[in-house]
Amino acid sequence: MPPRISVRKYSWFTVIGALLLVALAAWWLLRDGGDREPLATATVKRGDIEALVTATGVLQPRNFVDVGAQVSGQLEKLHVEVGDQVQAGDLLAEIDATVYLARVDGTRAQLRNQQALLKERQAQLSLAEIQLRRQQNLVRQAAGTREQVEVAEASLRSAEAQVEALQAQLEQTQSTLRAEEANLQYARIYAPMDGTVVSIEARQGQTLNAAQQTPILMRIADLATMTVQAQVSEADIGRLKLGMPVYFTTMGSQNRRWDGELSRIEPTPEVENNVVLYSALFDVPNDGGRLLPQMTAQVFFIAAQAENALVLPVAALRFEDRGVGAPQDTDEGTRTAKVQVMGPGGQREERTVQVGVTDRVHAEIVSGLEEGEQVVIGLRATGQSSGGSMRIPGRLR
């Protein structure tokens, strides 16, 4: 007859096994300090951090000039194309100079006529002077009359006036000739500076009218140095200071960074869609010529920075005035915050730290933490690993 197993003994084994399972489950739940959800932590590490003011800008040449026509007429010849390199004094374009040449020739002929007439009037003046002296001698010899002397004096004054009038006409004609010769020279347009032809506004054969406003033919720019004009909102303009470091990237070269220093803030704003924007400008060297006019730049003004500092995610910080985290870049100096540090046995310790430079993601820890310490940043969502999404509690316990 087989041995019989006691029902009471089997029940005690079941109870003991259940108690062991309950104890194991309790230990598992309580090993993170009593939370039912596993905590997400971050390690205090060293790194660089920057508090940035971001803006969008446009690139322009620092030095450029719009070349215009000072006289009217048909654009007879264009000697350059867009992209050509020019030197100061190079011939850029020619305007039909037929009318201006005819005016110069006519004024020169008028001038020669007046010069000949002046010689005649000067000869008459000399004759009037001789006649006056003759009449004066005759009067002294009692061979002439006082009336003849007065007539000679009047003739002399008339001759002098005619000479002065012709001299004034000559000066006026000479002035007119200089203006006509200048207009003739303006029909040939020369480069006012060294640079690159970046745009051409007129076409060969086009009739230009310079009577009301100066027609723009082309733009010449020195592309060796570019100016970035960044549009900064009124909320951020107070954080900018002249001389502060700034860098930018372009849409075509997002992996390359160009550095500069803020040189000018224009006081007159622009209003776009009810947003007040101020222009902040700085120059950058254009080595290699990769920067071109009208390129869009993503600009970053460095309001504050810290190198090789202790860095922690802002999600781990509880500011007395802002709660958990920091909503924007901050360069206001050190502030106090609370963190919870994970101990070796899984217990949590609340600690006060001094926070320095802060951006939207990370914060500089000035004091209160050591490199390598683990800090609580929230609760892991159910089913997520340590690198997954987190729930940030409204208040750190």
Side-chain angles (χ1 to χ4, degrees), residues 28-165:
W28 177 264
L29 292 175
L30 296 175
R31 67 169 185 166
D32 288 327
D35 287 329
R36 292 188 175 275
E37 295 181 84
L39 295 174
T41 61
T43 304
V44 181
K45 299 179 180 179
R46 290 200 173 271
D48 301 336
I49 188 171
E50 297 174 338
L52 301 174
V53 175
T54 59
T56 301
V58 177
L59 284 136
Q60 293 287 2
R62 184 181 66 178
N63 296 322
F64 67 91
V65 61
D66 290 325
V67 181
Q70 295 180 263
V71 294
S72 301
Q74 186 181 52
L75 184 57
E76 195 170 60
K77 181 67 175 177
L78 273 173
H79 294 279
V80 294
E81 297 180 352
V82 175
D84 287 353
Q85 299 288 328
V86 297
Q87 302 293 322
D90 288 351
L91 181 62
L92 302 177
E94 295 181 68
I95 297 174
D96 183 9
T98 303
V99 174
Y100 303 104
L101 181 60
R103 290 176 181 173
V104 169
D105 291 342
T107 305
R108 285 175 178 170
Q110 182 182 359
L111 181 61
R112 290 194 298 270
N113 179 64
Q114 291 175 345
Q115 289 172 339
L117 188 58
L118 177 61
K119 291 179 180 179
E120 179 187 354
R121 292 291 187 267
Q122 289 173 337
Q124 292 177 357
L125 175 61
S126 298
L127 179 59
E129 291 173 346
I130 294 172
Q131 291 176 346
L132 176 59
R133 287 195 296 271
R134 182 182 298 118
Q135 292 300 326
Q136 289 173 342
N137 290 334
L138 289 174
V139 168
R140 283 193 293 270
Q141 297 172 3
T145 64
R146 183 62 187 171
E147 181 181 358
Q148 291 174 329
V149 173
E150 292 175 350
V151 171
E153 289 176 346
S155 298
L156 177 61
R157 288 193 295 270
S158 176
E160 289 175 343
Q162 290 178 8
V163 169
E164 290 178 358

Side-chain angles (χ1 to χ4, degrees), residues 3 20 60 90 102 122 128 153 169 192 258 330 337 360 363 371 382 388:
L20 288 175
Q60 293 287 2
D90 288 351
Q122 289 173 337
E153 289 176 346
Q169 291 179 14
W258 282 269
T330 306
R360 291 176 173 83
E371 184 177 2
T382 304

